[in-house]
């Protein structure tokens, strides 16, 4: 689903008492950073909803939009495998170790060297992808017509530039996050989406689907430009390139398994496109429109892992297992507390959610229904996607990248098998459910596959919180579900969905919040302390 640290100087302290030991103050999740990233993600996703609504209004769902979604996905997949989360997984622990052992200046030099290596390496990859665009599309979307294949290849030659731009952004963000700076991370998504919205509105009438391509490139360049002032503020200076290949020797032990894990993980959206290319035209676009909603929730929950990863890595570098476990437990709890209720509302009221965003454009009732089915299927797995992402980051912090590869392979295999079985009958909704099936089995069961006290303890906590929150969410949905009947009631217009959805959310929260406060004192205390600490940092209390 659309596609993650050191404390802020004064990270939140949250005492967790256990049967084994008395509660002690520990440096936990960096609440101000977590709040900043989540707020930025929410704003970015709200703008993303606007971007997709504009896209759908201008382009609808057709073979052209399918070609666009396949073409722009390929550079992002390549960048993610070569850099992105892969390089961050190997890079963040190295920077944390360097800063701990040799000081900030040495860590800054590592950042400088790695950025140059990444830009040069990904520049070569970009050229190769552009040259091989036609065969890449042919392999990726073998079910496309000749016209759709040619269009996708042309778009891929242009969008290949995303590889080098996003690679630079991924490395610089990993460095900034390790230094405790999340401001740039928080604003990346809003900037990208604003530029895309403006670009599509301005260019679509003149150059058609290529307007979306140019808008995406312009937004990505704007994201890159944001990194330079932040890096300079932290002492990273861009001087003469120093291609220090000895740095790779330090990164390779974690980079190779992480790249394998990422390669497998990137196969999940890719296999959807391969299977979807053999379905009727528009199915890939339906899946892409649905991913907006599922990704909007998932990116909020995976933001917790983004903040927790360097915090865990720093704790492990300092030999402080207790602090690492403390951060991980908090992350699991906050992840589920956000994901379970949001995914419940999203799945049950998917028809209304889809009509509110896409009911104004060129999508007909049949298209809207298919997108809603995909949203409902995706929503089942959203809490588990967050747990899976957090589990992978915990493996990297523990320097067990090989385990992350195994878990990613399990996810991919389950997803591919279920997708092949369900897609012929259920279309794009079958592919969405396949994603959820892989997330459920690996995002929950994966915590207990590895012999690690830290992961096992956090996994047990995840199981307890999960089932409690699922039960509370089901009870909280009964009244709005029976009253509004989103799936089985009389046909509803887009205007009606605009007022139905807020009513459903208010009724749901009116039952959910008291039940959570009563049934889970840990959740109540966690939210109370987090709010107090974030408010203090922001000058609100």
């Amino acid at each position: 689903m659309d596609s993650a640290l050191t404390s802020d100087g004064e990270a939140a302290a949250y005492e967790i008492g256990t049967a084994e030991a008395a509660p002690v103050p520990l440096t936990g999740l960096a609440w101000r950073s977590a709040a900043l990233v989540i707020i930025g993600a929410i704003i970015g996703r709200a703008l993303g909803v606007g971007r997709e609504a504009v896209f759908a209004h201008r382009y609808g769902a057709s073979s052209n939009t399918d070609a666009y979604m396949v073409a722009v996905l390929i550079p992002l997949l390549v960048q993610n495998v070569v850099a992105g989360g892969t390089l961050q997984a190997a890079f963040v622990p190295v920077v944390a170790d360097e800063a701990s052992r040799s000081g900030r200046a040495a860590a800054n030099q590592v950042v400088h060297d790695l950025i140059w290596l990444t830009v040069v390496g990904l520049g070569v990859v970009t050229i190769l992808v552009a040259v091989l665009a036609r065969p890449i599309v042919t392999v990726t979307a073998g079910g496309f017509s000749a016209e759709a294949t040619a269009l996708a290849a042309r778009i891929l030659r242009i969008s290949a530039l995303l590889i080098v731009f996003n690679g630079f952004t991924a490395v610089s963000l990993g460095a900034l996050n390790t230094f405790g700076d999340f401001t740039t991370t928080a604003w990346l998504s809003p900037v990208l989406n604003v530029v895309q919205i403006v670009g599509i509105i301005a260019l679509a009438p003149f150059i058609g689907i290529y307007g979306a391509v140019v808008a995406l490139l312009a937004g990505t360049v704007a994201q890159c430009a944001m990194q330079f002032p932040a890096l300079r503020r932290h002492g990273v200076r861009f001087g003469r390139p120093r291609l220090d290949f000895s740095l790779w020797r330090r990164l390779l032990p974690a980079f190779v398994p992480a790249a394998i894990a990422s390669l497998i993980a990137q196969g999940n959206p890719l296999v959807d496109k391969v299977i979807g290319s053999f379905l009727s035209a528009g199915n890939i676009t339906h899946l892409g429109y649905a991913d907006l909603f599922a990704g909007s929730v998932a990116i909020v929950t995976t933001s917790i892992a983004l903040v927790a990863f360097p915090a865990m890595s720093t704790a492990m570098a300092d030999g402080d297992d207790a602090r690492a476990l403390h951060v991980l437990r908090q992350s699991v709890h906050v992840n589920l507390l956000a994901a379970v209720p949001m995914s419940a509302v999203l799945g049950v009221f998917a028809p209304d959610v889809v009509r509110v965003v896409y009911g104004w454009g060129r999508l007909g009732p049949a298209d809207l229904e298919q997108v809603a089915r995909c949203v409902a299927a995706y929503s089942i797995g959203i809490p588990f996607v967050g747990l899976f992402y957090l589990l992978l980051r915990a493996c990297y912090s523990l320097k067990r990248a090989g385990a992350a590869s195994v878990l990613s392979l399990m996810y991919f295999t389950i997803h591919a098998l279920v997708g092949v079985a369900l897609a012929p009958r259920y279309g794009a909704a079958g592919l969405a459910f396949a994603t959820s099936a892989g997330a459920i089995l690996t995002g929950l069961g994966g915590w207990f596959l590895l012999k690690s006290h830290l992961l096992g303890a956090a996994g047990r906590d995840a199981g307890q919180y999960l089932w409690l929150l699922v039960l509370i969410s089901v009870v909280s949905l009964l009244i709005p579900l029976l009253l509004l009947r989103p799936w089985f009631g009389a046909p509803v217009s887009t205007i009606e969905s605009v007022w139905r959805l807020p009513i459903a959310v208010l009724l749901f929260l009116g039952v959910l919040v008291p039940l959570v406060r009563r049934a889970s004192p840990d959740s109540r205390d966690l939210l109370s302390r987090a709010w107090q600490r974030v408010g203090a940092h922001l000058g609100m209390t």
Side-chain angles (χ1 to χ4, degrees):
M1 301 176 191
D2 177 23
S3 152
L5 294 165
T6 55
S7 64
D8 297 317
E10 265 191 298
Y14 175 57
E15 297 85 22
I16 296 182
T18 66
E20 293 83 4
V24 294
L26 291 174
T27 300
L29 195 63
W31 290 109
R32 182 175 179 273
S33 295
L36 186 64
V37 173
I38 290 174
I39 291 170
I42 292 173
I43 294 173
R45 280 297 168 165
L47 290 168
V49 170
R51 178 202 69 212
E52 290 300 296
V54 169
F55 185 94
H57 177 72
R58 292 288 183 179
Y59 302 116
S62 64
S63 59
N64 282 358
T65 57
D66 285 353
Y68 168 83
M69 291 191 176
V70 167
V72 299
L73 174 69
I74 292 169
L76 297 179
L77 296 184
V78 172
Q79 175 262 320
N80 285 338
V81 171
V82 180
T86 298
L87 200 50
Q88 284 188 20
F91 174 46
V92 168
V94 170
V95 173
D97 288 342
E98 191 71 23
S100 178
R101 290 199 320 262
S102 305
R104 184 62 168 273
N108 285 345
Q109 186 62 51
V110 170
V111 173
H112 174 274
D113 294 343
L114 184 60
I115 286 176
W116 278 115
L117 282 172
T118 301
V119 169
V120 171
L122 292 184
V124 174
V125 174
T126 297
I127 295 171
L128 289 175
V129 169
V131 170
L132 300 174
R134 183 62 181 253
I136 290 174
V137 171
T138 301
V139 172
T140 305
F144 273 3
S145 65
E147 293 79 6
T149 299
L151 175 61
R154 289 194 296 271
I155 294 174
L156 178 55
R157 292 188 187 99
I158 301 170
S159 60
L161 290 169
L162 293 170
I163 296 173
V164 68
F165 291 142
N166 281 321
F168 166 80
T169 297
V171 175
S172 60
L173 278 184
L176 293 172
N177 293 349
T178 307
F179 297 150
D181 185 342
F182 292 87
T183 303
T184 305
T185 301
W187 286 107
L188 282 182
S189 180
V191 167
L192 174 66
N193 287 317
V194 166
V195 174
Q196 283 190 270
I197 290 171
V198 173
I200 291 173
I201 292 174
L203 298 176
F206 303 101
I207 55 177
I209 195 67
Y210 292 103
V213 182
V214 175
L216 176 58
L217 283 171
T220 306
V221 171
Q223 288 183 315
C224 289
M226 293 174 61
Q227 311 301 310
F228 290 99
L231 289 170
R232 289 182 61 84
R233 188 168 61 248
H234 287 276
V236 178
R237 298 290 185 265
F238 289 96
R240 181 177 300 177
R242 193 185 77 166
L243 301 181
D244 183 7
F245 292 98
S246 65
L247 177 59
W248 281 110
R249 290 196 294 270
R250 300 175 61 186
L251 296 173
L252 282 178
F255 176 80
V256 172
I260 294 172
S262 182
L263 178 62
I264 297 168
Q266 302 312 314
N268 289 306
L270 188 60
V271 77
D272 285 341
K273 301 302 182 291
V274 172
I275 298 172
S277 70
F278 290 94
L279 303 176
S280 59
N283 268 274
I284 292 177
T285 304
H286 294 152
L287 200 65
Y289 287 156
D291 184 65
L292 167 71
F293 304 105
S296 298
V297 178
I299 199 170
V300 172
T301 58
T302 54
S303 295
I304 301 298
L306 175 68
V307 177
F309 175 40
M312 286 187 290
S313 298
T314 300
M316 298 304 297
D318 294 339
D320 193 345
D321 292 352
R323 178 155 56 97
L325 176 58
H326 183 70
V327 172
L328 189 55
R329 276 176 162 163
Q330 284 188 326
S331 302
V332 165
H333 195 166
V334 176
N335 189 305
L336 292 174
L337 196 57
V340 173
M342 286 193 292
S343 62
V345 172
L346 181 64
V348 171
F349 288 93
D352 290 292
V353 172
V354 170
R355 278 193 294 268
V356 167
V357 177
Y358 295 124
W360 315 92
R362 298 184 180 182
L363 297 182
D367 291 316
L368 294 174
E369 181 180 357
Q370 290 304 313
V371 176
R373 291 179 182 276
C374 292
V375 170
Y378 268 142
S379 68
I380 298 170
I382 286 173
F384 304 94
V385 170
L387 288 177
F388 177 75
Y389 190 80
L390 184 60
L391 175 59
L392 293 187
R393 289 303 184 248
C395 290
Y396 295 136
S397 294
L398 294 169
K399 298 184 178 178
R400 298 181 65 175
S405 300
V406 173
L407 291 168
S408 297
L409 180 60
M410 290 175 57
Y411 192 146
F412 172 78
T413 302
I414 296 167
H415 174 210
L417 291 176
V418 175
V420 169
L422 297 183
R425 182 171 182 179
Y426 299 104
L431 294 175
F433 181 78
T435 299
S436 293
I440 292 169
L441 294 176
T442 54
L444 186 60
W447 294 83
F448 305 100
L449 294 179
L450 307 178
K451 294 181 179 180
S452 167
H453 168 71
L454 187 148
L455 297 182
R460 287 190 293 272
D461 285 350
Q464 294 172 2
Y465 291 135
L466 175 67
W467 302 122
L468 176 62
L469 289 170
V470 167
L471 178 61
I472 292 174
S473 296
V474 169
V475 173
S476 303
L477 279 170
L478 290 178
I479 294 176
L481 180 61
L482 293 174
L483 180 64
L484 299 175
R485 302 177 66 193
W487 289 95
F488 306 106
V492 174
S493 69
T494 299
I495 294 294
E496 289 175 303
S497 290
V498 170
W499 62 259
R500 282 165 52 93
L501 195 56
I503 291 175
V505 172
L506 289 174
L507 290 173
F508 173 73
L509 291 177
V511 178
L512 177 85
V513 173
L515 285 180
V516 168
R517 291 176 62 86
R518 185 174 183 85
S520 179
D522 285 347
S523 297
R524 181 185 63 223
D525 294 344
L526 180 65
L527 290 176
S528 176
R529 295 185 184 209
W531 177 253
Q532 290 173 5
R533 183 54 63 100
V534 172
H537 275 295
L538 298 178
M540 298 169 56
T541 59

